[in-house]
């Protein structure tokens, strides 16, 4: 990535192309860990006094044994269908908010405003793409049917059928169940990741002044570090969100009441550790996932910039 701060921002077409390819690579690589995370968050294991909740390895082994290895990729269709708009909105909205918050005299954006721009980007992608995509994904991942048994028919056959069934039976609003929690999770993720990625990358450049562009392996390392920050900061939010989106709505109960009921039940029945169920596979998915996203995004956008006259300024991107 070039270090010339006077370069123009990357074009929207590059966000779509590079972001979409990067996101698809991440999804194909990390989907099994996401499925294990969701199953762990939905699991009621560990409620009985003196017993422990099932770990991520045991959960993965159980899925593979009962449902075949392909079951680890349940919900992948929903992820892939939303990955291009998700990435395009993330990068484009971040650039837009960063530009609005930049110092008018210097054109530079402070670290604090970079964090705010990240919060805005995370909220934007959550509302427009991520929440509907995750409701469908979680419904598909929660189905514990064996793909090896043709007689064991699942409730949702694929992402398209899941959307149709959910909208027909529960209404369009169901796709936005838990949107406040999703927005809060995505906002904290992007605020932390955008800020950490950019600051660590600047430090790497200062330590290697002879380089005009960082090598891909360094982008991966920086992405790995920044990507791990979000899951640790918002694990309880993600776990409550997963259970909320899996559950069927109770008539007369508001979203806030459902959230509080789920959180209260988890606290009473499973203890504080239940809020961190799935944290291991989530970190193992998000951190390497961001390493993949950064490396692929930087490489693909760099190729596009060499082909076209549009170039971008020195800033970082994240999950």
């Amino acid at each position: 990535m070039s270090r010339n701060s006077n370069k123009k921002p990357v074009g929207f077409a590059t966000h779509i192309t590079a972001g979409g390819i990067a996101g698809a690579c991440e999804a194909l690589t990390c989907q099994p860990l996401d499925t294990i995370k969701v199953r762990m968050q939905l699991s009621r294991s560990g409620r009985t006094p003196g017993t422990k909740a099932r770990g991520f390895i045991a959960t993965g082994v159980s899925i593979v044994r009962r449902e075949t290895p392909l079951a680890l990729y349940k919900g992948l269709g929903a992820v892939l269908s939303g990955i291009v708009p998700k990435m395009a909105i993330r990068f484009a909205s971040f650039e837009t908010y960063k530009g609005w918050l930049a110092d008018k005299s210097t054109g530079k954006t402070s670290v604090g405003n970079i964090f705010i721009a990240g919060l805005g980007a995370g909220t934007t992608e959550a509302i427009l793409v991520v929440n509907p995509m995750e409701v469908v994904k979680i419904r598909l991942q929660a189905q514990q049917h064996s793909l090896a048994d043709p007689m064991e028919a699942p409730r949702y056959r694929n992402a398209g059928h899941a959307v149709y069934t959910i909208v027909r039976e529960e209404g369009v609003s169901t796709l936005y169940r838990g949107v406040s929690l999703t927005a809060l999770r995505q906002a904290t993720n992007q605020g932390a990741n955008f800020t950490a990625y950019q600051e660590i990358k600047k430090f790497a450049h200062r330590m290697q002044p002879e380089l005009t562009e960082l090598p891909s392996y360094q982008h991966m390392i920086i992405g790995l570090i920044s990507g791990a920050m979000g899951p640790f900061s918002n694990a309880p939010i993600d776990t409550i969100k997963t259970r909320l989106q899996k559950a069927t709505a109770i008539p007369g109960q508001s979203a806030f009441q459902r959230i509080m009921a789920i959180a209260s039940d988890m606290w009473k029945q499973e203890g504080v550790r239940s809020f961190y169920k799935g944290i291991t596979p989530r970190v193992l998915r998000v951190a390497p996932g961001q390493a993949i996203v950064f490396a692929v995004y930087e490489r693909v956008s760099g190729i596009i910039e060499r082909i076209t006259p549009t170039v971008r300024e020195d800033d970082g991107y994240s999950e």
Side-chain angles (χ1 to χ4, degrees):
M1 182 185 294
S2 174
R3 299 173 65 185
N4 186 343
S5 61
N6 292 321
K7 287 185 176 182
K8 298 177 182 179
V10 66
F12 187 75
T14 302
H15 290 313
I16 295 176
T17 305
I21 293 173
C25 289
E26 180 208 12
L28 290 169
T29 305
C30 302
Q31 182 67 11
L33 288 168
D34 187 73
T35 299
I36 294 172
K37 179 212 72 169
V38 167
R39 288 290 183 87
M40 289 177 69
Q41 291 177 330
L42 295 174
S43 172
R44 290 334 196 242
S45 64
R47 281 192 171 193
T48 304
T51 62
K52 291 184 178 180
R54 180 183 292 170
F56 84 99
I57 293 178
T59 300
V61 170
S62 174
I63 293 172
V64 170
R65 283 179 176 173
R66 185 184 184 278
E67 305 170 52
T68 78
L70 285 177
L72 293 172
Y73 286 89
K74 286 180 178 179
L76 180 61
V79 175
L80 290 177
S81 65
I83 206 70
V84 172
K86 171 185 172 181
M87 290 295 179
I89 289 169
R90 173 181 299 173
F91 295 135
S93 63
F94 174 75
E95 285 293 336
T96 300
Y97 299 143
K98 182 170 66 66
W100 290 347
L101 296 168
D103 186 292
K104 303 306 178 185
S105 60
T106 64
K108 296 182 178 180
T109 309
S110 67
V111 175
N113 283 338
I114 287 291
F115 181 75
I116 294 174
L119 292 177
T123 302
T124 302
E125 71 174 15
I127 295 173
L128 297 182
V129 178
V130 176
N131 203 83
M133 179 182 72
E134 290 213 345
V135 169
V136 175
K137 175 183 71 70
I138 288 169
R139 293 293 182 93
L140 290 167
Q141 289 173 320
Q143 297 185 127
Q144 300 189 28
H145 69 287
S146 175
L147 297 177
D149 184 359
M151 300 303 293
E152 191 172 352
R155 176 175 173 77
Y156 307 114
R157 295 192 297 271
N158 50 51
H161 180 253
V163 171
Y164 172 77
T165 304
I166 291 169
V167 171
R168 184 189 63 185
E169 297 180 356
E170 303 175 57
V172 176
S173 63
T174 303
L175 296 176
Y176 286 90
R177 183 175 298 161
V179 67
S180 59
L181 294 177
T182 302
L184 182 59
R185 186 199 65 182
Q186 292 302 110
T188 52
N189 275 347
Q190 304 321 321
N193 290 339
F194 273 117
T195 306
Y197 184 80
Q198 176 172 277
E199 291 305 303
I200 298 173
K201 187 176 66 177
K202 287 179 179 178
F203 175 78
H205 274 304
R206 287 197 298 270
M207 295 296 101
Q208 306 164 102
E210 73 281 2
L211 296 179
T212 55
E213 294 187 4
L214 296 178
S216 293
Y217 82 89
Q218 291 190 19
H219 286 301
M220 292 187 73
I221 293 173
I222 297 171
L224 189 74
I225 296 171
S226 63
M229 294 183 176
F232 283 114
S233 67
N234 55 34
I237 296 171
D238 189 59
T239 302
I240 296 172
K241 176 200 70 68
T242 296
R243 294 198 178 190
L244 177 66
Q245 291 175 330
K246 164 64 171 60
T248 302
I250 299 176
Q253 190 178 51
S254 68
F256 179 75
Q257 289 173 327
R258 288 198 298 272
I259 291 171
M260 294 306 297
I262 291 172
S264 176
D265 181 67
M266 290 172 63
W267 178 271
K268 293 176 181 177
Q269 300 294 328
E270 302 169 65
V272 67
R273 293 182 63 180
S274 66
F275 291 93
Y276 289 86
K277 279 187 173 181
I279 185 64
T280 300
R282 187 176 174 218
V283 171
L284 290 177
R285 181 190 70 83
V286 173
Q290 290 318 291
I292 294 169
V293 166
F294 284 128
V296 174
Y297 185 92
E298 298 284 359
R299 179 56 60 87
V300 174
S301 58
I303 292 173
I304 294 174
E305 288 173 4
R306 285 193 291 271
I307 296 174
T308 63
T310 301
V311 288
R312 60 182 167 165
E313 59 184 297
D314 181 24
D315 278 307
Y317 307 100
S318 175
E319 164 73 10

